[in-house]
Amino acid sequence: MKRLSLLIAAALLVAQPLLAHEGHEHGDAKKVLPNLGDTPQRLPDGVVFLPKPAQRQMGVLTLKVVEQDLPRSIELPGKVIMDPHLGGRVQAMITGRIEPAGEHGLPSAGSRVKKGDVLAWVVPAAGQIERSNQSALLAELKASRQLAEKRLHRLNELADTVPRKEIEAAESEILSLNGRIAAVGSGLSGREALVAPVAGIIAASNAVVGQVVESKELVFEIVDPDSLHIEALAYEPLELGEVASASIALGGRAVPLSFIGASRRLREQALPLLFENHAVGAGLALPLGQPVKIQVLLRSTVKGLPIPQKALVRSQANELMVWVKESPERFVPRPVRTQPFDGVQVMAADGLKPGDRVVIDGAGLINQIR
């Protein structure tokens, strides 16, 4: 009997540490499972235990989400286009052979040019232009220049009602005529000067020494380095009065865009919308023709929880989720449903509540812990 009492007492002493933790929650994973040590690992319920030293090594950062009144946003496809007011195209007016305009040869893409610079010459084929009466040709060109100057003067007087592109086209015509007059006056009858109509950066060059170009063929494209224009296509009905602004994601930041206006003609069953940004180097951020996704912000608002796009990861079931820090070393996976916002941030529509601390740096590394 005495021996039986000793065995029962020994069994109770062994069971006491286990019973002391019975019913406890995982507020501190190290207390619940003492054998975790300082090794990051994922627990059976999907929670990740991550000690402080490991958090510092992984660069884990969290953000406390706050509910805000945010503008409603829709995502539209778009592409980068040339600013029609500050950009320009240089086209050949005659058929001929390309020749460099100076000692440095033809300008290449990326070169900076000034308005009025002669970029290249187009030398016509033999016999294409009569050279017997050079003085008559010179007089004809000067007469054409006088008419162009009068037209430009008239357009400048009506600058408030005439589109700016018509004035710039008239200026480009005068520059081209000046180049031809200079060529004829120097005895190089019929040679055409390809003149830069605006100042800026050469975005594209289709010129090679000796290349034969046709009339109206595009030779150079010039863009303004400080002007970015983007055309978006709205395939669903959209109230234009609701459009406030837009943004695109570029290098981990949101670039704001101002709404210019919309076309009144559908293109491929979509309504074109125009946006712009005028800032130093804005036009060099994206090349012409680059497809982009635009987050169009509307005037109406909705309550939401903005979180950075980089906080989103995929679960093993390919579900969109974030990691929420519930205690100093405890991280819980939380499935979320999001809506686009500004290209860098998204709005959590479901799965989070105000005050949650969401992992914004190191979420991908936490997701790999097994």
Side-chain angles (χ1 to χ4, degrees):
M1 187 70 179
K2 184 177 180 180
R3 184 177 179 184
L4 179 60
S5 299
L6 291 175
L7 290 173
I8 294 174
L12 290 173
L13 288 174
V14 172
Q16 186 175 0
L18 298 176
L19 295 175
H21 296 286
E22 187 176 352
H24 282 199
E25 296 181 357
H26 296 277
D28 191 335
K30 294 176 74 174
K31 290 182 180 178
V32 178
L33 299 173
N35 62 343
L36 288 180
D38 291 329
T39 304
Q41 54 187 290
R42 185 170 298 198
L43 305 182
D45 59 357
V47 174
V48 167
F49 167 68
L50 191 62
K52 284 291 184 179
Q55 293 182 36
R56 287 190 287 270
Q57 290 179 357
M58 295 166 59
V60 174
L61 294 177
T62 61
L63 174 69
K64 187 176 182 179
V65 295
V66 179
E67 189 175 52
Q68 302 177 26
D69 288 327
L70 303 174
R72 289 199 306 117
S73 173
I74 58 175
E75 187 175 79
L76 299 178
K79 67 177 181 179
V80 181
I81 63 173
M82 180 185 296
D83 186 337
H85 302 292
L86 302 176
R89 293 176 175 171
V90 181
Q91 296 173 273
M93 299 181 66
I94 62 174
T95 300
R97 186 180 67 255
I98 295 289
E99 284 190 358
E103 300 177 355
H104 302 291
L106 297 173
S108 58
S111 301
R112 186 176 291 271
V113 296
K114 298 178 181 179
K115 183 177 180 178
D117 285 353
V118 178
L119 306 179
W121 295 99
V122 179
V123 179
Q128 180 179 344
I129 296 181
E130 282 196 32
R131 307 179 182 225
S132 58
N133 195 348
Q134 184 173 338
S135 60
L137 177 59
L138 187 61
E140 181 182 347
L141 291 173
K142 288 182 177 180
S144 299
R145 183 178 62 180
Q146 288 180 354
L147 292 175
E149 288 174 345
K150 289 180 180 180
R151 182 172 178 270
L152 176 61
H153 180 71
R154 187 166 60 255
L155 291 175
N156 284 328
E157 290 179 343
L158 302 173
D160 294 336
T161 57
V162 174
R164 179 62 190 171
K165 62 181 181 180
E166 291 191 18
I167 298 177
E168 292 177 350
E171 292 175 346
S172 300
E173 184 181 358
I174 293 175
L175 290 174
S176 178
L177 287 170
N178 285 337
R180 296 194 65 186
I181 290 173
V184 173
S186 62
L188 301 172
S189 177
R191 191 166 73 162
E192 178 192 3
L194 299 180
V195 181
V198 295
I201 303 292
I202 294 181
S205 173
N206 302 318
V208 179
V209 175
Q211 175 186 355
V212 176
V213 295
E214 299 292 334
S215 175
K216 299 183 180 181
E217 185 173 339
L218 179 64
V219 183
F220 298 101
E221 275 188 306
I222 302 173
V223 297
D224 183 359
D226 301 329
S227 178
L228 174 66
H229 272 224
I230 291 182
E231 181 185 66
L233 296 177
Y235 289 91
E236 299 294 334
L238 177 64
E239 281 191 40
L240 298 181
E242 275 287 296
V243 179
S245 60
S247 63
I248 57 172
L250 183 62
R253 62 188 180 93
V255 177
L257 300 172
S258 301
F259 179 53
I260 301 175
S263 172
R264 291 300 182 269
R265 179 188 293 273
L266 294 179
R267 183 193 307 160
E268 299 177 356
Q269 304 304 314
L271 181 67
L273 308 176
L274 294 178
F275 299 88
E276 67 178 357
N277 179 283
H278 293 288
V280 176
L284 302 179
L286 294 169
L288 293 179
Q290 172 74 41
V292 294
K293 289 185 178 180
I294 305 173
Q295 308 300 328
V296 179
L297 304 181
L298 307 180
R299 299 189 186 279
S300 56
T301 60
V302 63
K303 288 189 178 296
L305 303 171
I307 58 173
Q309 181 88 33
K310 58 183 179 180
L312 301 176
V313 293
R314 292 280 178 178
S315 67
Q316 291 183 346
N318 202 32
E319 291 180 335
L320 201 62
M321 55 172 264
V322 296
W323 286 98
V324 176
K325 187 175 185 179
E326 286 199 344
S327 67
E329 296 180 336
R330 173 186 168 92
F331 294 84
V332 179
R334 193 77 63 79
V336 293
R337 183 170 56 87
T338 64
Q339 296 176 358
F341 180 48
D342 63 2
V344 176
Q345 297 183 100
V346 296
M347 185 172 63
D350 190 18
L352 291 176
K353 60 182 184 297
D356 285 342
R357 300 200 69 88
V358 175
V359 177
I360 59 173
D361 278 343
L365 297 176
I366 296 177
N367 207 42
Q368 297 175 23
I369 295 176
R370 296 290 181 264

